[in-house]
Amino acid sequence: MTAENTVEFLKILAHPVRLKIIECLKGKEKTVNDIQTELRKSQSTISQHLKVLFSANILTFRKDGLKSYYKIADPKVYDILLNINQYIADRSQQKIEDISSTSITDTLY
């Protein structure tokens, strides 16, 4: 995997609607209408982001009559998101600890 692949993957994950769709699909498949209702976004917005996630192989779908059911292709995506969130939380905690350990006189100079 190249740096460019990593950048492209992270760009795909870097949109709030896409992250909400991924979370919405955790553990179950849903129709576009289900996702739209849950996220309170327009059908065109949801469809646009589903297309991006599907093109990146993050989602799969199946047809049942007129309905398309979407689901997460590989649940490891949740591990990736968990690691990113943990990293952010750890960095925030470290920043708080650094600020807390600085004496008031250190901040004046």
Side-chain angles (χ1 to χ4, degrees):
M1 178 175 261
T2 66
E4 290 82 17
N5 294 112
T6 303
V7 167
E8 286 306 310
F9 182 75
L10 291 174
K11 280 182 185 178
I12 290 165
L13 293 180
H15 195 286
V17 173
R18 291 186 204 127
L19 288 174
K20 288 176 184 176
I21 289 171
I22 291 169
E23 190 60 34
C24 175
L25 293 171
K26 193 169 191 174
K28 55 191 156 266
E29 64 180 14
K30 293 185 178 179
T31 66
V32 176
N33 190 52
D34 294 336
I35 297 166
Q36 178 187 347
T37 300
E38 190 169 326
L39 300 185
R40 299 175 189 239
K41 300 287 181 189
S42 71
Q43 187 271 332
S44 61
T45 297
I46 297 300
S47 292
Q48 172 191 352
H49 291 293
L50 288 171
K51 181 179 177 184
V52 172
L53 292 167
F54 176 76
S55 295
N57 297 317
I58 294 172
L59 299 182
T60 62
F61 78 96
R62 69 176 177 87
K63 288 283 228 178
D64 186 8
L66 297 175
K67 292 185 179 183
S68 295
Y69 290 85
Y70 288 85
K71 70 177 186 175
I72 298 298
D74 185 344
K76 284 188 244 175
V77 73
Y78 295 108
D79 295 334
I80 293 166
L81 294 172
L82 180 66
N83 285 327
I84 290 170
N85 287 330
Q86 188 60 55
Y87 176 81
I88 292 167
D90 291 349
R91 296 299 303 149
S92 295
Q93 183 61 38
Q94 185 60 48
K95 194 174 202 177
I96 290 168
E97 290 170 8
D98 290 347
I99 291 170
S100 298
S101 67
T102 305
S103 78
I104 190 71
T105 54
D106 291 340
T107 61
L108 298 175
Y109 299 105

